Amino acid sequence: MVIKTVNLETVCGVTSVLPVNDKPEIAFAGKSNVGKSSLINGLMNRKSLARTSAQPGKTQTINFYNINDSMYLVDLPGYGYAKVPQQEKEKWGKMIEKYLHRSKQLRAVFLLIDIRHAPSANDKQMYDWISYQGYAPIIIATKLDKIKRSQVSKQVKLIREGLHVKPGTQILPFSALTKQGREEIWALMDQLILPETAPAEETSEE
């Protein structure tokens, strides 16, 4: 997809009413400090649209980015940061659950996992939780530039086995530094939303 316009259209806190959108949504979930903001900036070719921070647990809202007025990229709060009070974690959990349960436009959920490490207990819990909500999580293995090329297949296997992913689950390595993996992620997102966003003449059969 060629990015023409990007707009942070809606920011939802714990007490906010979720928007009723009329365009397809793709959501991104991930542990705090896994590189979610960097991924979103990389996908949208913007340096600081999603705020990156050295302080984990910074994203405490659900952010809806309107892309080309044809789809929404939805940034979910980071999870698993130890210094966040349990009460806050529970509020964020309920907020994410409400979104996954109520969104009529959500087409897919991408789950970000740090490629350098085996999935944590929080990662496994989130994978199972997203699956329980009726979605088949697509895995993005972040921080690809932090490991050697020869280690990639081994680390991807570690993620696959650590999460006990369902057969056919896609794992897409990504580097925010080199943008490696960006085209593959966009190709998959286009595939997920194309029937709804493409002009009629492009989708009709001869």
Side-chain angles (χ1 to χ4, degrees):
M1 180 181 286
V2 178
I3 310 295
K4 296 176 182 175
T5 60
V6 179
N7 175 37
L8 177 54
E9 188 172 290
T10 311
V11 176
C12 291
V14 174
T15 59
S16 303
V17 176
L18 290 168
V20 180
N21 292 323
D22 60 354
K23 299 172 184 67
E25 300 169 358
I26 303 283
F28 289 81
K31 191 164 56 180
S32 297
N33 230 19
V34 75
K36 190 153 49 69
S37 296
S38 297
L39 167 71
I40 290 169
N41 287 331
L43 288 175
M44 296 190 282
N45 278 334
R46 303 293 193 276
K47 285 188 177 178
S48 56
L49 190 66
R51 287 180 299 173
T52 57
S53 173
Q55 181 184 348
K58 202 71 178 171
T59 304
Q60 302 176 11
T61 53
I62 299 179
N63 300 328
F64 291 79
Y65 295 93
N66 184 326
I67 301 177
N68 293 349
D69 205 28
S70 64
M71 67 168 287
Y72 287 96
L73 194 154
V74 184
D75 182 12
L76 301 174
Y79 59 84
Y81 183 50
K83 291 187 180 179
V84 175
Q86 185 61 32
Q87 192 175 2
E88 286 298 304
K89 290 180 187 176
E90 289 174 2
K91 285 181 183 176
W92 296 355
K94 287 176 183 175
M95 181 165 61
I96 296 170
E97 184 176 18
K98 183 169 75 170
Y99 168 69
L100 293 177
H101 188 64
R102 293 187 183 178
S103 174
K104 298 281 193 287
Q105 298 293 342
L106 183 57
R107 299 297 176 260
V109 181
F110 285 83
L111 177 61
L112 279 63
I113 305 290
D114 189 329
I115 199 169
R116 298 173 297 177
H117 312 295
S120 67
N122 281 317
D123 290 328
K124 294 173 191 173
Q125 187 177 21
M126 181 57 80
Y127 178 84
D128 291 340
W129 193 38
I130 295 168
S131 299
Y132 178 76
Q133 295 294 330
Y135 297 94
I138 300 161
I139 310 302
I140 297 179
T142 62
K143 305 186 187 263
L144 177 61
D145 50 278
K146 304 288 188 185
I147 65 172
K148 295 176 181 175
R149 189 178 297 180
S150 59
Q151 296 175 297
V152 174
S153 59
K154 175 190 164 191
Q155 294 306 111
V156 166
K157 184 181 179 185
L158 193 67
I159 292 172
R160 192 177 293 280
E161 293 176 349
L163 292 177
H164 302 293
V165 299
K166 295 173 183 174
T169 297
Q170 298 196 58
I171 299 180
L172 306 170
F174 173 79
S175 165
L177 185 67
T178 66
K179 302 297 185 292
Q180 187 176 341
R182 180 183 185 275
E183 297 308 317
E184 289 83 355
I185 294 169
W186 263 118
L188 185 52
M189 288 200 291
D190 282 342
Q191 186 180 324
L192 290 164
I193 64 171
L194 189 60
E196 301 167 65
T197 58
E201 62 268 18
E202 289 184 16
T203 57
S204 61
E205 295 181 2
E206 294 297 328

